[in-house]
Amino acid sequence: MKKLISIVLSLAMILSLAACGAPSSEQTQSGNTVPQINAKETKTADVVIVGAGGAGLSAAIEAVENGAESVIILEKTTTTGGSLNFTSGTMSGAETVIQELDGVEDTKESFVQDILKNGAQAGNEEMIRTFVDEDVAAIQWLWDNGLSDNEFGVDRETGTMSVFAPEHALYSVKRSYKPRPDDPKTYKSAVHEILDTAVKTNDKITVELQTTATQLINNEDGQVLSVAAKNADGDTILYTAKKGLIMATGGYSGNLKMMGNFTENGAKYLPGGSSASDGYGIYMMQNVGANIDEKVMGYIPTFPMGLDTGNGPGQIASTYMWKVGGICVNKEGNRFVDETESAVDKREVALEQQPDAIQYDIFTDDIIKDAEALNASVFWNFFYAPGKPFNQFVVSADSLEELAEKLEIPAENLVNTVNKYNENVENKTTDEFGRKFTDDSLNPAYNVKVNKIEGEHYYAVPLHALCVMTLGGVQTNTNAQVLDADGTAIPGLYAAGECVGGIWGKFVSGGTGVMGPVVFGRIAARHAMNNEVPTGYTMKAAQNVITEDMFAKDAPAASEESRFDMSQKLNDGDYTATVEGQEGPMTVKVTISAGKIAHVEIVENHETQSIAGAALEQLPEKIVTENSCDIDGVAGATMTSGRIKDAVAACLKQAVA
């Protein structure tokens, strides 16, 4: 029998959330009013943590080390780790035990200045200094708890564990570390492995998986120490902390609608992490008065190297062929940036501004040979060479015109672009993007050979602006306490990780995406355990920076002209239709059951897999889910998407007869 608990949600709201998972405007509270909630059970602990990523796991461990007898972590997915499940887990730190062993001299001040510079001087210097100071102890803890035994990726010239990480703007000193997990089948990063092992072996910490937080709850004293959540059975549970409630819910890189709201082309980015990173935790904190800077919510860095495999999150998979003379063009066949620019953020922003935020790396067989001869083909050999996992996404042709046709971009533009580029190479001039073509322009990290786009065979790989993390969120102080619009700490409420905004600036520095959550998770737990929760606080009215429509599921998107009217009655059965494809016919089979689209199978196709793969993989399931062929296609595969939808429409017309 359910126990009635007087705290925050009405039964109607609970049922609504259970039914659709969408937030309700009724959640916004001001003042210290304590509404009603119906919950099946109440659970209490010294510390309650929402989110089991790097911040949540490290916070739980630190809470116990500071005297907590009970810690509960709520995690809405089926596993711990959060974004650590989608990254190799590069770490960074200055004056660390690792640098000491490597003989690398570094200073914390240099680290601070590099982070500020990499973030376009838009970061919070006080928070950054706190991170840099605390980072040393966090890395030492990891080292003492198993990291010292892990295998590291090392500098090829010196063999040091301290390396430069070219996927981000380079630090002025080797202070990045790339440890590999001992159990790569279970863990993608060593940090996750160490933290998860420590949590699993601690009987004072309980992790409740498939448990989704729905609302934060204040009491009459203005303390935010409770959270309502739904478990895997759909029951509402009320969790209350004695010392502190720590939000470690991640960012919003999995919410295209939210990213599109705060940055112009955000809805076109390729998500590279978990769909669970939807920003809802930030929304919950907003609704109890947490302050959010709308400008900072637009700080969404990307990698100009995202491969859409059509199966799960995008992959960081650059060809790096531009280091040996290759170029990047957009959907119009035009170059748009100096591909060898050492300031990575400039290339990031340039790609974000292109149509559908997509580029095509263009190179030739001669360039591949030079890359191999100059030891610059590591990524090609790992990802794209024949027999490698992403070789199917390499588009090949015997001419630029044929390559353009396969890419579905204007052939004339691509040919003109390459001809102009080759002229600059031959004349050793600086082009309109600032790319230089002289021997003194070479840079081992970004430009190892000046080359024309020439050869017997031409190649292209489609790459997107890949988003693996966001930099907006609530504001906190150096104790990780969540602040209201007046800069006052909300009693009992802490936040760490990606749900905190404004720390790093406009762009992220290498390794801070891993160590930042670990550091501030530890700080939050330590402060919560060693300080009393203040009373007498008056709750502030919620802002409206994040709105509930950012979480609502859109109705199926219709094309400009509907292919088929789904209000018609469909007869059950299997139907097959063939349409003209790229290099041969495309045949699609549609199964109708109970008057709805039950299955879509692409029986035959002759599309260019590297371009069409995502559409071939994703659209059949999407058509079934939406029960319609009037849906959005896949960016970068417009023509293939149209063919699939046309074939499905032809099948549906048969089902009406």
Side-chain angles (χ1 to χ4, degrees):
M1 184 173 179
K2 291 187 176 181
K3 180 181 178 182
L4 180 62
I5 301 171
S6 298
I7 302 276
V8 164
L9 295 173
S10 67
L11 178 59
M13 184 184 299
I14 292 294
L15 294 174
S16 173
L17 286 166
C20 63
S24 167
S25 59
E26 295 178 38
Q27 289 178 287
T28 300
Q29 302 293 332
S30 61
N32 293 357
T33 303
V34 183
Q36 302 291 310
I37 179 174
N38 283 289
K40 183 177 182 179
E41 184 181 0
T42 290
K43 296 185 180 182
T44 303
D46 289 327
V47 175
V48 175
I49 301 167
V50 184
L57 296 176
S58 60
I61 297 164
E62 186 71 9
V64 172
E65 291 188 356
N66 281 265
E69 292 298 322
S70 59
V71 177
I72 298 175
I73 307 177
L74 311 182
E75 170 56 46
K76 66 180 176 180
T77 70
T78 59
T79 185
T80 67
S83 62
L84 292 177
N85 290 303
F86 301 90
T87 173
S88 60
T90 297
M91 307 161 59
S92 62
E95 300 184 22
T96 65
V97 60
I98 302 174
Q99 287 179 320
E100 182 179 352
L101 290 170
D102 285 339
V104 175
E105 295 185 4
D106 196 3
T107 66
K108 293 179 182 178
E109 183 60 30
S110 172
F111 194 14
V112 169
Q113 295 306 320
D114 279 357
I115 293 174
L116 287 169
K117 177 183 177 182
N118 294 344
Q121 302 297 331
N124 183 319
E125 184 171 345
E126 184 181 20
M127 294 287 285
I128 291 170
R129 289 189 179 278
T130 297
F131 162 74
V132 169
D133 284 339
E134 294 277 346
D135 190 33
V136 180
I139 290 177
Q140 185 68 55
W141 185 92
L142 290 165
W143 184 263
D144 294 340
N145 283 271
L147 188 65
S148 58
D149 295 327
N150 285 84
E151 179 185 354
F152 278 69
V154 299
D155 186 287
R156 285 186 294 174
E157 294 182 1
T158 64
T160 59
M161 294 177 286
S162 307
V163 300
F164 289 111
E167 61 266 27
H168 294 283
L170 297 182
Y171 285 123
S172 57
V173 177
K174 291 193 293 185
R175 63 170 69 99
S176 297
Y177 320 113
K178 294 180 175 292
R180 300 187 179 103
D182 292 330
D183 180 7
K185 291 184 178 179
T186 305
Y187 300 100
K188 193 167 183 181
S189 73
V191 171
H192 181 200
E193 183 176 46
I194 293 168
L195 294 175
D196 197 44
T197 300
V199 166
K200 286 179 176 178
T201 55
N202 195 312
D203 59 9
K204 295 181 180 180
I205 302 173
T206 301
V207 180
E208 301 199 5
L209 300 174
Q210 294 182 279
T211 302
T212 303
T214 56
Q215 184 171 2
L216 299 181
I217 299 159
N218 63 279
N219 59 26
E220 292 179 351
D221 280 323
Q223 300 167 327
V224 180
L225 291 168
S226 298
V227 57
K230 280 197 170 296
N231 63 20
D233 296 325
D235 296 323
T236 298
I237 310 296
L238 181 68
Y239 297 87
T240 297
K242 299 175 184 177
K243 300 292 293 182
L245 175 62
I246 301 174
M247 295 292 285
T249 53
Y252 42 98
S253 62
N255 188 335
L256 291 174
K257 185 178 292 187
M258 184 177 288
M259 289 196 293
N261 186 82
F262 293 112
T263 189
E264 183 177 359
N265 295 311
K268 299 294 185 180
Y269 297 166
L270 175 64
S274 171
S275 59
S277 297
D278 60 2
Y280 192 68
I282 304 172
Y283 178 70
M284 285 192 288
M285 287 187 278
Q286 172 190 270
N287 289 346
V288 292
N291 190 46
I292 300 172
D293 187 330
E294 186 169 0
K295 180 180 71 175
V296 174
M297 290 295 291
Y299 293 171
I300 304 175
T302 64
F303 289 95
M305 55 182 78
L307 179 68
D308 186 357
T309 66
N311 183 25
Q315 303 290 317
I316 297 177
S318 176
T319 68
Y320 281 103
M321 283 300 166
W322 40 263
K323 293 174 63 172
V324 200
I327 61 173
C328 302
V329 302
N330 60 19
K331 289 181 66 175
E332 298 168 349
N334 300 320
R335 289 177 63 222
F336 54 89
V337 72
D338 172 6
E339 296 87 348
T340 64
E341 170 61 58
S342 61
V344 182
D345 57 280
K346 292 184 179 179
R347 288 188 278 119
E348 293 174 3
V349 172
L351 177 55
E352 291 167 6
Q353 297 172 343
Q354 302 313 303
D356 289 333
I358 186 173
Q359 70 182 31
Y360 301 94
D361 283 10
I362 306 293
F363 49 99
T364 68
D365 50 349
D366 286 349
I367 289 176
I368 294 174
K369 292 176 184 176
D370 278 346
E372 292 173 339
L374 294 166
N375 199 27
S377 61
V378 175
F379 288 89
W380 169 260
N381 293 336
F382 186 79
F383 289 129
Y384 295 110
K388 297 304 178 179
F390 300 147
N391 176 256
Q392 62 178 308
F393 299 103
V394 179
V395 184
S396 62
D398 294 332
S399 68
L400 284 172
E401 290 82 0
E402 181 186 1
L403 188 68
E405 181 181 359
K406 289 184 174 181
L407 297 176
E408 301 178 2
I409 64 177
E412 183 179 357
N413 287 0
L414 180 60
V415 171
N416 289 339
T417 293
V418 170
N419 287 341
K420 185 176 182 180
Y421 174 81
N422 287 344
E423 288 176 9
N424 282 319
V425 173
E426 186 169 344
N427 296 328
K428 297 184 178 181
T429 54
T430 300
D431 66 19
E432 67 268 38
F433 305 106
R435 183 167 178 172
K436 299 179 181 179
F437 302 97
T438 55
D439 290 340
D440 60 5
S441 69
L442 298 181
N443 177 336
Y446 299 101
N447 187 8
V448 297
K449 179 70 181 288
V450 175
N451 249 327
K452 290 184 179 180
I453 306 294
E454 291 181 339
E456 292 186 8
H457 302 289
Y458 295 84
Y459 300 98
V461 173
L463 296 171
H464 302 252
L466 178 73
C467 182
V468 300
M469 69 180 303
T470 51
L471 302 179
V474 301
Q475 293 186 339
T476 65
N477 59 22
T478 55
N479 293 322
Q481 294 172 288
V482 178
L483 305 178
D484 63 21
D486 296 331
T488 302
I490 300 173
L493 184 60
Y494 296 82
E498 274 189 65
C499 60
V500 178
I503 298 178
W504 313 111
K506 293 183 178 180
F507 307 98
V508 69
S509 294
T512 57
V514 171
M515 292 310 301
V518 171
V519 164
F520 286 108
R522 285 162 53 90
I523 290 174
R526 190 185 315 140
H527 189 273
M529 287 304 303
N530 290 289
N531 293 274
E532 294 299 321
V533 185
T535 59
Y537 174 79
T538 301
M539 304 294 295
K540 303 296 189 300
Q543 296 173 300
N544 200 36
V545 175
I546 303 174
T547 54
E548 60 183 321
D549 62 295
M550 296 181 192
F551 305 94
K553 184 178 180 180
D554 286 334
S559 58
E560 293 182 5
E561 183 178 347
S562 176
R563 286 176 166 81
F564 185 81
D565 179 7
M566 289 301 296
S567 66
Q568 301 177 80
K569 181 181 178 180
L570 300 177
N571 298 311
D572 290 355
D574 293 329
Y575 303 91
T576 302
T578 299
V579 297
E580 183 179 349
Q582 183 174 16
E583 297 180 359
M586 175 187 287
T587 300
V588 174
K589 177 181 176 182
V590 175
T591 299
I592 304 299
S593 178
K596 293 185 177 181
I597 304 173
H599 184 69
V600 174
E601 178 186 357
I602 300 175
V603 178
E604 178 186 8
N605 81 90
H606 300 273
E607 308 295 289
T608 302
Q609 297 299 306
S610 53
I611 299 298
L616 296 169
E617 178 81 22
Q618 297 172 14
L619 281 194
E621 181 179 353
K622 190 174 181 181
I623 289 170
V624 172
T625 301
E626 305 293 355
N627 192 42
S628 173
C629 58
D630 290 331
I631 59 174
D632 285 338
V634 173
T638 305
M639 295 180 71
T640 298
S641 298
R643 293 172 188 131
I644 295 171
K645 292 187 283 186
D646 286 344
V648 171
C651 291
L652 296 177
K653 290 174 183 176
Q654 296 175 40
V656 173

